[in-house]
Amino acid sequence: MKYFYLMIFTLAFISCEEPETIYEYPDGISKPVNVVQSYGCGNVFIYQFLDSLKALTVWINSNYYRFTKKRQDVDIDPSNPNISVVLEVSPNHPDSVYFNFCNDIVYPNTGTTIKYKALSGKLSFTVSEDNPVKKPVGNNFYFITVRVRDLHLFNQEMNDEIIIDEAVFWNVPVGWMPG
């Protein structure tokens, strides 16, 4: 009898989970076989942990680009002030917090990451609905999918380059403001 109650509880628990909101991105960004969890906020800041010490971040100026379902392709260029791709690496000091994205809490032990800024690459993006950015900013909520390819990142202080073949930020909720 107790297995019966356990089965009923399990079924009730599973049915309470919200399904993932899926949007069709028809313009050539395919869903990866292994989706890496990505996070985001604002109009638009997204990030993805490559491992426990590295986070790849992308910022796109929503005031410059017209967000639509139609895919847009951009050459990554350090002289473009409307796109920023940065790899942040933790020096891994155990007493510091290094990754504090999309959070309005400031931790007293925040450390400084080592930043690798994008020199070149290709960035493609598409959003879940046409013209999702509204005024006031607090009324925004939508999803974005971003693909970066052939990404060359460089840290000038260390004279070190890192190359990332491809990263996909799949169906990331954005638009909302931390707070």
Side-chain angles (χ1 to χ4, degrees), residues 127-141:
V127 295
S128 57
E129 61 187 88
D130 290 335
N131 305 312
V133 180
K134 299 168 181 62
K135 304 244 188 249
V137 174
N139 292 343
N140 295 303
F141 185 83

Side-chain angles (χ1 to χ4, degrees), residues 77-144:
D77 181 340
S79 67
N80 181 351
N82 298 300
I83 296 269
S84 172
V85 181
V86 176
L87 176 67
E88 296 196 31
V89 179
S90 162
N92 199 23
H93 295 228
D95 296 331
S96 295
V97 174
Y98 289 100
F99 303 112
N100 189 32
F101 307 122
C102 294
N103 191 341
D104 62 351
I105 298 171
V106 178
Y107 296 101
N109 56 340
T110 300
T112 303
T113 57
I114 301 164
K115 292 183 174 36
Y116 287 77
K117 296 182 180 178
L119 294 177
S120 65
K122 302 279 186 200
L123 185 138
S124 301
F125 65 92
T126 179
V127 295
S128 57
E129 61 187 88
D130 290 335
N131 305 312
V133 180
K134 299 168 181 62
K135 304 244 188 249
V137 174
N139 292 343
N140 295 303
F141 185 83
Y142 54 98
F143 294 83
I144 189 166

Side-chain angles (χ1 to χ4, degrees), residues 159-175:
N159 194 31
D160 188 28
E161 182 179 25
I162 293 177
I163 298 171
I164 297 175
D165 293 330
E166 181 177 75
V168 176
F169 300 77
W170 184 259
N171 212 37
V172 184
V174 292

Side-chain angles (χ1 to χ4, degrees), residues 20 22 30-39 48-49 144-146 167-172:
E20 176 189 4
I22 303 294
S30 300
K31 183 175 183 179
V33 173
N34 297 315
V35 175
V36 176
Q37 181 68 47
S38 302
Y39 307 90
Q48 180 181 103
F49 292 103
I144 189 166
T145 289
V146 173
V168 176
F169 300 77
W170 184 259
N171 212 37
V172 184

